[in-house]
């Protein structure tokens, strides 16, 4: 299981303002190239984001489902990344001073990705999620400045 932690210079509420807006999903999620649609109930449990991953012309349509929405503390997602499988993504946010600490945990739960040796999968996910959390902070701070 890959765990990435980052202190952000924004509040938990600012982070969750980004997480609850499906249309900025491809802005902060590394690998997501576009959002095709979002269920009107997003981000409530069971709601789906219909997104694409990859770079043209190698783009795959996929979806992510909300498992838990507990703003401004926790969000749990199940991301489908065909042809690799499915991943569970847990985002925990705790206030710290004037900012917050975000802990992002990700691990495969189905498909061929589960066959990748854990140390290799964890390293790949960690590298990706360092950038994902950097982008999340950038978007949250930018929105707060508006």
């Amino acid at each position: 299981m890959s765990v990435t932690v980052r202190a952000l210079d924004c509040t938990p509420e600012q982070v969750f303002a980004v997480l609850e807006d499906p249309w900025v999903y491809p802005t902060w999620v590394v690998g997501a190239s576009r959002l095709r649609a979002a269920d009107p109930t997003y981000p409530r449990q069971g709601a789906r984001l219909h997104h694409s991953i990859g770079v043209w012309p190698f783009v795959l349509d996929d979806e992510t489902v909300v498992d838990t929405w507990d703003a401004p503390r926790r969000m749990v997602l199940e991301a489908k990344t065909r042809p690799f499988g499915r991943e569970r993504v847990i985002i925990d946010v705790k206030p710290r001073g004037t900012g917050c600490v975000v802990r992002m945990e990700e691990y495969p739960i189905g498909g061929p990705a589960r066959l990748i040796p854990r140390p290799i999968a964890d390293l790949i996910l960690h590298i990706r999620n360092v950038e994902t959390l950097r982008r999340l902070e950038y978007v949250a701070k930018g929105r707060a400045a508006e």
Side-chain angles (χ1 to χ4, degrees):
M1 149 187 9
S2 171
V3 176
T4 306
V5 179
R6 181 178 172 104
L8 277 61
D9 187 23
C10 49
T11 67
E13 291 77 16
Q14 291 166 332
V15 169
F16 272 81
V18 173
L19 298 179
E20 75 181 348
D21 182 351
W23 296 102
V24 297
Y25 183 83
T27 305
W28 63 272
V29 176
V30 173
S33 57
R34 66 181 173 184
L35 187 72
R36 301 184 327 275
D39 289 356
T41 58
Y42 184 85
R44 288 188 289 189
Q45 184 178 14
R48 297 175 189 279
L49 291 177
H50 305 276
H51 58 85
S52 301
I53 61 171
V55 178
W56 187 88
F58 306 105
V59 176
L60 298 172
D61 291 342
D62 250 316
E63 69 181 26
T64 293
V65 180
V66 178
D67 183 59
T68 303
W69 176 257
D70 182 22
R73 292 172 288 283
R74 181 172 234 224
M75 183 178 204
V76 180
L77 303 166
E78 182 179 314
K80 292 182 182 176
T81 53
R82 286 177 275 221
F84 306 109
R86 295 177 297 129
E87 290 78 39
R88 169 120 17 242
V89 180
I90 302 165
I91 300 171
D92 286 312
V93 182
K94 295 192 181 333
R96 178 186 284 172
T98 59
C100 66
V101 174
V102 178
R103 181 182 188 274
M104 186 173 185
E105 179 181 318
E106 184 171 356
Y107 55 92
I109 57 172
R114 288 183 13 178
L115 302 176
I116 299 171
R118 182 74 93 185
I120 294 170
D122 287 351
L123 178 61
I124 293 167
L125 289 171
H126 178 72
I127 291 168
R128 174 180 169 261
N129 290 336
V130 164
E131 176 62 15
T132 292
L133 291 181
R134 188 191 70 76
R135 292 180 185 186
L136 180 60
E137 178 181 30
Y138 184 78
V139 174
K141 286 172 65 173
R143 286 178 149 218
E146 291 178 352

